[in-house]
């Protein structure tokens, strides 16, 4: 099937056995497998000593004071807004270029996500547009207000693909507008920013926000299958998140059932069931040990792509920056559609036909029915994200990528660009 598809793709078959490159392959070794087995044999499966260790080690990895492990980044974000007391009817700035989770947790609280357009190069939140959206709120000319006053209380930026936003600008903006910052750091472990070469590195989670939330979903930079972490320098916030992660009980299970704990507990809040299991944390501890090594491997993939695709004029490559440690969770390319005969979806189809898995990050939130129908957003509110959406493709990037796989991705992208470039001498000849 694959080979028929290959020959149907104009100018792209080279007669060799097709290489299949998945979009992502998790990097799980014997250490993780053995640790999971030993956890299963230990008799303690749910939140316990492995989670405690994972929290401690993660906090020290990002230089955070407190870390609470949860069963997803979505749970971490939800409990973060819960812990800081986001109230019904308040508004929160979030990028339209993000995953569902960043916005839905605001809706859980019956608060209002105010979407913000993105930077055309990084895809990160555009603070100039955030300013415009705040002004529009004051003038009551955003679609869903219906004459209401909305108080903007906070913002949840995302470091898209692990390319950090400029934290000085972000914090200055938040201060000027009296907003709290909760970071959606789902892509940003490990990732860092510095103002210049004389500054120290600020790792995402190192006091970069009131709460920073990370994801250990199967295809994130480190994984526990499903999992997340909330880090903060506030003990009060960490305690609240921990309390709400387990039914609002005043003790967790390990505290209750281990030799040192008490069997008794008190329900003090209607909480949730968001705790991480020791089985998952067993994977996490070993992923954590290899996190920087895996990041370096992804960086090597990124550098190979950047140098090999540098002269392909039909695409734009992601930016690399001396003042950022990029986690390289994603490698998004942008098609220059005016120089191609095919659109983004067709380009993806050609990649797929040649065995290259890819993805798109993301269909912006304002292009989903929920945000169009309930909140009245449309494409004109976000010209940059609406355009970017038509041009972006995330290429495979993961730490266990082989050289053959990298070469296949590069060759395939080059061949598709050559076969479908517009108005060129080579096509005319
Ligand atoms: C993956 C992701 C999440 C959600 O993470 P989960 O651990 O699956 O809940 C949130 N935000 C962004 C930007 C993501 O990419």
């Amino acid at each position: 099937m694959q080979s028929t598809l290959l020959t149907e793709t104009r100018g792209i078959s080279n007669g060799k056995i097709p290489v299949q490159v998945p979009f992502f392959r998790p990097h799980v070794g014997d250490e993780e497998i053995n640790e999971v087995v030993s956890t299963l044999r230990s008799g303690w499966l749910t939140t316990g000593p492995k989670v405690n260790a994972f929290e401690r080690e993660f906090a020290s990895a990002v230089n955070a004071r407190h870390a609470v492990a949860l069963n997803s980044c979505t749970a971490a974000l939800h409990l973060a807004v819960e812990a800081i007391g986001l109230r019904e009817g308040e508004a929160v700035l979030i990028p339209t270029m993000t995953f569902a989770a960043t916005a839905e947790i605001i809706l859980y609280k019956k608060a209002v996500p105010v979407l913000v357009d993105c930077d055309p190069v990084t895809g990160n939140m555009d603070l100039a547009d955030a300013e415009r959206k705040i002004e529009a709120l004051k003038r009551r000319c955003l679609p869903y207000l219906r004459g209401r006053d909305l108080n903007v209380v906070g913002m949840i930026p995302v470091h898209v693909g692990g390319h950090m936003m400029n934290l000085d600008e972000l914090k200055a903006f938040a201060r000027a507008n009296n907003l709290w910052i909760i970071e959606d750091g789902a892509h940003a472990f490990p990732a860092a920013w510095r103002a210049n070469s004389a500054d120290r590195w600020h790792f995402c989670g190192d006091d970069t926000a009131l709460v920073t939330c990370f994801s250990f979903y199967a295809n994130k930079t480190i994984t526990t299958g499903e999992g997340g972490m909330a880090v903060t320098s506030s003990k009060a916030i960490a305690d609240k998140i921990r309390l709400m992660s387990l039914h609002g009980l005043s003790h967790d299970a390990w505290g209750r059932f281990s030799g040192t704990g008490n069997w008794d507990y008190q329900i003090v809040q209607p909480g949730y069931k968001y705790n991480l299991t020791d089985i998952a944390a067993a994977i996490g501890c070993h992923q954590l040990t290899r996190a920087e090594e895996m990041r370096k491997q992804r960086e090597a993939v990124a550098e190979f792509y950047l140098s090999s695709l540098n002269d392909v004029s039909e695409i734009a490559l992601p930016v690399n920056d001396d003042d950022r440690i990029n986690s390289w969770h994603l490698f998004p390319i942008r098609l220059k559609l005016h120089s191609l005969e095919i659109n983004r979806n067709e380009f993806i189809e050609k990649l797929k036909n040649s065995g290259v898995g890819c993805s798109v990050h993301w269909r912006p939130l304002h292009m989903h029915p929920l945000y169009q129908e309930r909140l009245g957003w449309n494409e004109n509110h976000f010209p940059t994200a609406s355009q970017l959406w038509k041009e972006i493709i995330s290429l495979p990037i993961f730490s266990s990528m082989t050289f053959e796989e990298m070469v296949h991705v590069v060759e395939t992208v080059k061949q598709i660009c050559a076969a479908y470039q517009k108005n060129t001498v080579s096509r005319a000849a």
Side-chain angles (χ1 to χ4, degrees), residues 71-75 77 98-99 101-102 158 184 186-187 214-217 219-220 226-228 329 362:
N71 60 12
S72 72
C73 179
T74 309
L77 289 163
T98 187
F99 182 61
T102 325
V158 179
D184 180 340
H187 297 184
F214 297 94
S215 174
F216 311 132
Y217 180 67
N219 72 5
K220 293 287 159 64
E226 298 278 0
H329 169 55
W362 295 268

Side-chain angles (χ1 to χ4, degrees), residues 85 233 271 316:
S233 41

Side-chain angles (χ1 to χ4, degrees), residues 21-80:
V21 188
F23 175 64
F24 186 82
R25 190 164 56 224
H27 195 160
V28 173
D30 286 340
E31 294 93 338
E32 282 91 333
I33 293 166
N34 294 337
E35 187 84 32
V36 166
V37 171
S38 91
T39 305
L40 291 171
R41 292 216 163 99
S42 78
W44 194 278
L45 307 188
T46 185
T47 312
K50 295 273 155 69
V51 167
N52 288 348
F54 186 38
E55 287 174 344
R56 260 195 327 271
E57 288 158 24
F58 192 89
S60 105
V62 298
N63 199 27
R65 213 159 312 150
H66 307 280
V68 183
L70 300 155
N71 60 12
S72 72
C73 179
T74 309
L77 289 163
H78 182 190
L79 295 188

Side-chain angles (χ1 to χ4, degrees), residues 304-323:
F304 181 79
Y305 284 167
L306 288 170
S307 62
S308 319
L309 294 170
N310 185 39
D311 56 353
V312 181
S313 57
E314 291 78 20
I315 61 174
L317 299 172
V319 286
N320 206 4
D321 188 327
D322 283 347
D323 290 322

